[in-house]
Amino acid sequence: MKTLAKGSFCLLLVSFLMMVSTFVTAEARVLQSNSNLYIAMNKSLSTWFQVGTNVNEIAPGVVSSGTLLNNSNLYIASNRSLSTWFKAGTGASFRPDGALSSGTLLNNSNLYIASNRSLSTWFQADTAASFRADGSLYSGTLLNNSNLYIASNRSLSTWFRAGTQIATREDGSVSQGTLLNKTNLYTNPQRSQSRWFEAGTTVSFGPDGSVN
């Protein structure tokens, strides 16, 4: 009985490892034709990818990244409540549920930067953007000079330069960005110390709004 149990365990282990291998070791392949491929594990979503480009798979027949054939309106929220347009001929990455996690914006786009959809700002066409599973933008390139919160409680804000990248927290505050103006910023959480930063400086902020 002990030998049988050990053998059964080994078979289960081999089966498990083969299953894991299916997901982990799927390799990139070059498309021989323009191809409409699944982007969701449950095969409920697909999109077209460009001939002669690489696609990566998370499972056989299910693409995790590739080069878009067409300008494409794709979901950016896992619950499929938000979508936006992405540019043909550029790379796109997808979550297992089919929502896009990163891609190149086709148009100037007003996108949520807070998970609860209480804050949004404009981002520049033809630039890379990455998204959280809730559809809010994690990082992107500002279209306009923008006054944005830097503290999670929305008690502090400052101006950031158009054409530069920002990164945001789930609450919509900026965690990193490039200053538009010479700016006096707090350098400790208690807000008892501050110093001036030159315009054009890229600065990282803590959730309290002080410079890291």
Side-chain angles (χ1 to χ4, degrees), residues 1 10 28 41-42 58 65 96 98 109 122 136 141 161 168 183 201:
M1 290 297 291
C10 289
M41 283 291 292
N42 63 5
I58 50 174
S65 65
S109 304
W122 285 87
S136 63
T141 299
R161 179 176 289 183
T168 67
T183 308
T201 302

Side-chain angles (χ1 to χ4, degrees), residues 5-24:
K6 183 177 179 181
S8 299
F9 173 77
C10 289
L11 285 172
L12 287 171
L13 180 60
V14 169
S15 298
F16 173 75
L17 291 174
M18 289 178 65
M19 180 179 70
V20 170
S21 175
T22 300
F23 288 90
V24 174

Side-chain angles (χ1 to χ4, degrees), residues 17-126:
L17 291 174
M18 289 178 65
M19 180 179 70
V20 170
S21 175
T22 300
F23 288 90
V24 174
T25 63
E27 295 181 357
R29 60 186 175 93
V30 177
L31 294 178
Q32 302 305 308
S33 61
N34 295 328
S35 303
N36 188 22
L37 301 172
Y38 291 115
I39 54 176
M41 283 291 292
N42 63 5
K43 299 187 177 180
S44 60
L45 292 173
S46 65
T47 196
W48 284 87
F49 294 92
Q50 193 173 96
V51 62
T53 62
N54 285 342
V55 293
N56 293 289
E57 298 178 325
I58 50 174
V62 182
V63 170
S64 61
S65 65
T67 300
L68 298 174
L69 173 63
N70 307 308
N71 296 331
S72 305
N73 188 23
L74 299 168
Y75 289 116
I76 54 176
S78 292
N79 65 4
R80 304 187 184 180
S81 60
L82 289 174
S83 65
T84 197
W85 285 88
F86 295 91
K87 188 174 183 178
T90 63
S93 297
F94 302 90
R95 295 186 179 84
D97 54 45
L100 182 140
S101 58
S102 64
T104 299
L105 299 174
L106 174 62
N107 307 308
N108 296 332
S109 304
N110 189 23
L111 300 169
Y112 291 116
I113 56 175
S115 292
N116 64 4
R117 304 185 184 180
S118 60
L119 293 172
S120 66
T121 196
W122 285 87
F123 293 88
Q124 194 173 96
D126 202 25

